[in-house]
Amino acid sequence: MNRRSILYLMGAACAARIARGAGWQAYTPPTEMKGIWSFTPDPALPNVLLIGDSISIGYTLDVRQLLHGQANVYRPMTPRGKVPANCGNTKQGLEHLASWLDDVKWNVIHFNWGLHDLCYRSPQSKVYGHRDKIHGVQDVPLPQYRRNLEILANELEKTHARLIWASTTVIPPGEAGRFVGDEVPYNDVAAAVMKAHGIPTDDLYALTRTFSPSMFARPEDVHFTKAGFQKIAERVAASIGRRLPSG
């Protein structure tokens, strides 16, 4: 039995195996976890993997629906395969990338890290995620972010999938653990790394900069409303669609 046939029979069980070993925790709003996450892949279609934090969780199901009949759209799942895994920062990416990739033949991988890397946290903070841009320290400072992305890009290239980098979405004013504008140098560093590797960018930063306050889940929150995530999903699905193998 070939790999695609196995994928067809295993369905959601395969998605669970993608995230084997993901023991770290990263916060995801409960509203973004809702929905039916298991699915039966079509062995005749190309396989797409979405790697990212809770922002990508928010658009995954919409992307899957938009690419229905064109691709099998996966994302890393928790070890039991019940809910999507938050891929956190680049340190967590380095630790868990091999398990997320599993032994699946990926045709396209759309990936992002950034919002967690640039976030300031303090163990004493009572805000969810221990966010604290006054007394905290950044998860991954910019020089280390560059080094981590270089390693991750090298590892992803070994899959021979068509890769798409997603720029980090905009930070709204007043966010508890992130300074407005910090996403810009992180996106600049990522752009340089991706250019060196010949990896195209899906510019979600430019897109979300155009969003009105009503498109954000709440004031001072990096997450989006259903309508906001739908617009991001349309952009992501179009970017993936252009990279899918033809024929």
Side-chain angles (χ1 to χ4, degrees):
M1 184 179 294
N2 63 33
R3 179 61 182 167
R4 286 185 178 272
S5 296
I6 293 171
L7 277 171
Y8 183 82
L9 293 172
M10 291 181 68
C14 174
R17 291 172 59 225
I18 294 172
R20 191 167 48 237
W24 46 267
Q25 297 292 321
Y27 178 81
T28 302
T31 54
E32 293 172 27
M33 306 290 274
K34 294 179 179 179
I36 300 172
W37 290 93
S38 62
F39 75 104
T40 302
D42 183 339
L45 296 179
N47 294 317
V48 173
L49 178 62
L50 303 181
I51 296 176
D53 55 31
S54 58
I55 303 301
S56 72
I57 291 174
Y59 59 68
T60 294
L61 293 180
D62 286 330
V63 171
R64 182 177 290 168
Q65 180 60 40
L66 289 166
L67 292 177
H68 180 72
Q70 300 179 61
N72 301 312
V73 177
Y74 291 86
R75 69 162 299 108
M77 301 292 287
T78 56
R80 294 184 181 181
K82 300 296 184 182
V83 293
N86 186 320
C87 300
N89 60 32
T90 52
K91 292 185 295 185
Q92 292 160 335
L94 292 171
E95 183 177 356
H96 299 291
L97 183 62
S99 63
W100 297 336
L101 295 175
D102 198 48
D103 62 347
V104 177
K105 170 60 178 175
W106 300 111
N107 299 97
V108 178
I109 300 175
H110 184 280
F111 65 105
N112 166 267
W113 290 276
L115 279 178
H116 283 261
D117 296 85
L118 60 81
C119 187
Y120 289 81
R121 303 184 196 275
S122 168
Q124 285 73 45
S125 174
K126 303 301 182 184
V127 180
Y128 79 74
H130 301 293
R131 293 171 298 144
D132 184 348
K133 63 187 179 187
I134 305 302
H135 304 104
V137 296
Q138 278 186 311
D139 277 4
V140 182
L142 197 58
Q144 187 62 54
Y145 180 69
R146 180 192 295 270
R147 291 191 290 271
N148 290 354
L149 279 183
E150 284 280 2
I151 298 170
L152 289 161
N154 284 330
E155 291 302 309
L156 286 166
E157 285 176 330
K158 294 176 183 178
T159 68
H160 302 293
R162 296 177 179 180
L163 304 178
I164 304 170
W165 167 254
S167 60
T168 295
T169 51
V170 70
I171 298 171
E175 212 280 342
R178 301 171 174 97
F179 289 98
V180 172
D182 270 3
E183 70 275 34
V184 175
Y186 275 74
N187 278 331
D188 288 345
V189 161
V193 171
M194 300 308 151
K195 182 178 180 180
H197 285 264
I199 299 171
T201 294
D202 186 2
D203 198 351
L204 302 186
Y205 171 72
L207 173 66
T208 54
R209 275 193 69 190
T210 69
F211 283 7
S212 68
S214 65
M215 300 289 272
F216 290 83
R218 294 181 304 277
E220 307 172 359
D221 193 332
V222 296
H223 300 94
F224 303 96
T225 62
K226 183 174 178 58
F229 277 124
Q230 178 65 36
K231 286 189 71 68
I232 298 172
E234 291 168 0
R235 174 65 177 261
V236 171
S239 296
I240 293 170
R242 288 191 292 270
R243 301 287 287 169
L244 289 174
S246 58

